[in-house]
C-alpha cells in the first residue's frame, strides 16, 4: 500500500510545481471582469477573468490595487499582469494580479469616462481653477523621460525662442508599471522646488495603451494639487488624457508646449522696435503739442500784455478826462467870477446906471456933450433915467469948488 499524503501537502506540492513553471510566473491575461468585489477592510480586489469558454479566479492585493488609474467594473475587458498558482488553503487555482489596465476601446473609454465624471464632479476641470502662465519664466520644470524625444524637442524649441530660461528636468519613467509612481513623484518634487515658475508634464507620441498612464487618477490629483501652473503635452494633437483636463494649459505636442511656455525673442524684439518707434512718434507729437501750446500761450500772454497796456491807457485816459472836467469846472468858475467882476465894472460904468441915481446926460442931438463944450443960446436935451427935457443954454460959467 502506497504512502498517503494529506491535503495540505498536496496543495503545497502543486503550488511548488506551478511556481517552477516559468510561463505561469510572467503572465498577461486578457479577460472580462466578473464577480468583482473590493474587500471593505483589507482593500484587496477579488474577481474572475473570463472569456467565451472559461474563467479563472483572480486577486489583486491592496498595495497593487491602490496604483490603478481606473475603477474596475464587471464586464470590463482588461489586461492583467501577474502570475498563476494555487491558493493552498482552498486548493484553488487563481491568478495573482500585479497590474491591470483596460483593454480595447470600449473598456478603456468606460474607465476614462468614469474617472472624467468623478473628477469633473469634484471641480478639478473647472475653468476658474486654471491659472495663467508667467509671461517670462526664469525656470521651467519638465517632467519627462531624459532619453525621450520630448525632452530634446523642449530643449531645442526653448533654446531657439528664449535661451534665457533655465530648464530643470525631473527624469521619470513614462511607460510601464513604475510610470505612475515616477510621474507623481516628479510632479511633487518640482512643485516643492522653489526654482521652477511652472511645470511641464510631457512625453512624445505612442499608442493609446502607451499613453494610458496619463489617465491616472493619482497623476491628475498630483497636478491639481500643484501650487505652480501645470502644462500638459502628451502625445499628438489627437491624443487627449485626463491630465490635459486637469492642467492649467494643454498643448498638442511637446514642441507646442515649449512655444506656449516661453516668449519668442524675435517677435519680442519686433514688438520692442515697434514700441520704440511709437514712443518716438508720441514724443515728437507731444513735443509738437507742447510747442503749439507754448506758441498759443505766448500769443495769449502777448495779447494779455497788450490788453493790460490798453487797460492802463484807458485808466490814464479816464484820469485825464476827469482832470479835464475838473479843469473845465475850475476854468468855468474862474471865468464866471471874472465875468461877474467885469460885469460889475461895466455896470458901474454904465451911464444909465448913473442916471438912475438922479443924474442927467447933455445931448446935442444924439451926441453927448460935456458942459464945457456948451455955448450960450444952444438948444440941448437933458436925459434922465425916466424923462427928457428940452433946454436952452442961457449961460456957461466955470464951476467953483465949495
Amino acid at each position: 500500500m502506497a504512502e498517503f499524503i494529506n491535503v495540505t501537502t498536496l496543495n503545497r506540492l502543486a503550488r511548488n510545481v506551478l511556481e517552477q513553471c516559468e510561463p505561469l510566473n510572467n503572465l498577461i491575461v486578457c479577460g472580462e471582469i466578473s464577480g468583482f468585489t473590493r474587500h471593505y477592510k483589507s482593500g484587496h480586489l477579488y474577481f474572475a477573468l473570463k472569456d467565451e469558454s472559461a474563467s479563472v479566479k483572480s486577486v489583486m492585493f491592496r498595495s497593487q490595487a491602490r496604483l490603478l488609474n481606473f475603477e474596475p467594473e464587471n464586464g470590463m475587458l482588461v489586461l492583467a499582469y501577474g502570475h498563476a498558482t494555487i491558493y493552498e488553503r482552498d486548493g484553488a487555482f487563481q491568478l495573482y494580479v500585479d497590474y491591470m489596465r483596460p483593454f480595447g476601446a470600449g473598456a478603456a473609454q468606460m474607465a476614462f469616462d468614469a474617472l472624467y465624471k468623478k473628477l469633473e464632479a469634484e471641480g478639478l476641470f473647472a475653468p476658474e481653477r486654471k491659472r495663467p502662465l508667467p509671461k517670462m519664466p526664469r525656470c521651467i520644470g519638465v517632467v519627462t523621460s531624459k532619453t525621450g524625444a520630448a525632452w530634446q524637442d523642449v530643449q531645442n524649441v526653448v533654446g531657439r525662442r528664449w535661451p534665457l530660461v533655465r530648464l530643470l528636468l525631473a527624469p521619470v519613467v513614462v511607460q510601464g508599471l513604475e510610470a505612475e509612481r515616477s510621474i507623481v513623484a516628479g510632479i511633487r518634487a518640482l512643485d516643492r522646488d522653489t526654482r521652477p515658475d511652472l511645470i511641464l508634464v510631457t512625453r512624445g507620441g505612442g499608442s493609446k495603451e502607451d499613453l494610458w498612464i496619463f489617465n491616472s487618477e493619482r497623476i491628475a490629483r498630483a497636478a491639481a494639487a500643484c501650487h505652480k501652473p501645470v502644462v500638459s503635452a502628451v502625445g499628438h494633437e489627437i491624443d487627449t488624457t485626463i491630465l490635459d483636463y486637469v492642467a492649467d494649459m494643454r498643448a498638442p505636442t511637446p514642441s507646442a508646449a515649449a512655444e506656449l511656455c516661453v516668449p519668442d525673442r524675435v517677435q519680442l524684439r519686433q514688438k520692442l522696435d515697434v514700441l520704440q518707434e511709437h514712443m518716438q512718434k508720441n514724443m515728437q507729437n507731444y513735443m509738437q503739442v507742447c510747442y503749439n501750446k507754448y506758441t498759443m500761450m505766448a500769443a495769449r500772454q502777448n495779447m494779455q500784455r497788450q490788453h493790460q497796456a490798453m487797460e492802463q491807457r484807458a485808466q490814464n485816459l479816464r484820469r485825464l478826462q476827469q482832470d479835464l472836467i475838473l479843469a473845465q469846472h475850475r476854468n468855468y468858475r474862474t471865468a464866471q467870477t471874472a465875468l461877474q467882476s467885469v460885469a460889475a465894472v461895466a455896470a458901474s460904468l454904465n451911464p444909465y446906471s448913473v442916471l438912475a441915481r438922479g443924474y442927467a446926460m447933455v445931448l446935442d442931438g444924439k451926441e453927448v456933450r460935456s458942459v464945457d463944450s456948451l455955448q450960450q443960446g444952444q438948444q440941448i436935451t437933458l436925459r434922465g433915467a425916466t424923462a427928457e427935457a428940452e433946454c436952452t443954454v442961457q449961460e456957461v460959467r466955470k464951476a467953483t469948488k465949495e
Side-chain angles (χ1 to χ4, degrees), residues 339-380:
L339 181 60
Q340 290 175 352
S341 299
V342 172
V345 172
S348 64
L349 298 177
N350 188 355
Y352 294 101
S353 299
V354 177
L355 297 179
R357 297 199 300 269
Y359 293 92
M361 290 187 301
V362 179
L363 300 176
D364 181 8
K366 293 183 179 181
E367 296 181 359
V368 178
R369 298 291 185 180
S370 66
V371 177
D372 294 341
S373 63
L374 297 179
Q375 295 179 4
Q376 186 177 4
Q378 185 178 355
Q379 293 292 323
I380 59 175

Side-chain angles (χ1 to χ4, degrees), residues 331-347:
N331 293 336
Y332 174 77
R333 288 195 294 271
T334 301
Q336 187 178 25
T337 302
L339 181 60
Q340 290 175 352
S341 299
V342 172
V345 172

Side-chain angles (χ1 to χ4, degrees), residues 191-347:
D191 193 41
R192 290 192 301 268
D193 198 311
T194 58
R195 289 172 292 177
D197 298 314
L198 61 95
I199 299 173
L200 170 59
V201 183
T202 184
R203 69 151 286 170
S207 65
K208 198 173 187 66
E209 287 75 16
D210 293 337
L211 304 180
W212 190 262
I213 190 64
F214 291 94
N215 291 320
S216 163
E217 181 176 355
R218 292 184 64 209
I219 294 177
R221 293 192 182 279
C226 279
H227 297 89
K228 302 170 183 176
V230 176
V231 178
S232 171
V234 178
H236 300 296
E237 187 168 2
I238 60 174
D239 301 314
T240 304
T241 65
I242 292 294
L243 179 61
D244 293 333
Y245 292 102
V246 177
D248 297 285
M249 181 170 291
R250 183 251 178 184
T253 63
S255 298
E259 292 182 358
L260 291 174
C261 291
V262 296
D264 186 355
R265 58 177 175 175
V266 176
Q267 293 181 358
L268 186 59
R269 182 173 298 171
Q270 293 175 351
K271 290 181 180 180
L272 289 175
D273 291 340
V274 172
L275 182 61
Q276 182 180 7
E277 183 179 353
H278 288 171
M279 289 177 62
Q280 290 177 348
K281 289 183 178 179
N282 290 337
M283 291 177 62
Q284 291 177 355
N285 293 336
Y286 185 74
M287 290 177 63
Q288 185 64 38
V289 170
C290 291
Y291 177 77
N292 293 339
K293 287 184 177 180
Y294 172 78
T295 303
M296 293 176 62
M297 290 178 63
R300 189 179 296 114
Q301 289 179 351
N302 186 31
M303 292 180 62
Q304 187 175 6
R305 286 194 295 268
Q306 293 181 0
H307 179 74
Q308 291 175 350
M310 292 177 64
E311 183 64 25
Q312 185 66 35
R313 294 190 184 95
Q315 291 178 0
N316 294 336
L317 182 61
R318 286 193 293 270
R319 186 173 62 254
L320 292 174
Q321 185 178 13
Q322 292 176 356
D323 293 343
L324 180 61
I325 294 174
L326 293 175
Q328 288 177 346
H329 289 169
R330 289 195 298 271
N331 293 336
Y332 174 77
R333 288 195 294 271
T334 301
Q336 187 178 25
T337 302
L339 181 60
Q340 290 175 352
S341 299
V342 172
V345 172

Side-chain angles (χ1 to χ4, degrees), residues 52-66:
E52 293 82 358
S53 56
S55 67
V56 60
K57 290 184 177 181
S58 305
V59 61
M60 190 174 193
F61 295 123
R62 177 183 177 182
S63 57
Q64 284 80 29
R66 60 190 297 270

Side-chain angles (χ1 to χ4, degrees), residues 109-177:
Q109 191 61 44
M110 287 176 59
F112 182 93
D113 293 342
L115 181 59
Y116 181 92
K117 292 178 181 178
K118 177 181 178 181
L119 299 183
E120 183 183 34
E122 295 180 18
L124 267 64
F125 304 157
E128 55 269 20
R129 292 188 71 257
K130 307 298 182 182
R131 294 162 292 190
L133 304 184
K135 294 185 180 298
M136 293 184 181
R138 294 171 296 178
C139 181
I140 299 175
V142 183
V143 180
T144 191
S145 171
K146 64 180 179 180
T147 59
W151 174 233
Q152 297 300 324
D153 292 343
V154 170
Q155 291 184 91
N156 293 336
V157 173
V158 170
R160 171 175 51 83
R161 288 174 62 89
W162 196 251
L164 296 177
V165 74
R166 295 176 56 194
L167 296 178
L168 182 60
L169 175 64
V172 297
V173 179
V174 294
Q175 188 172 338
L177 297 178

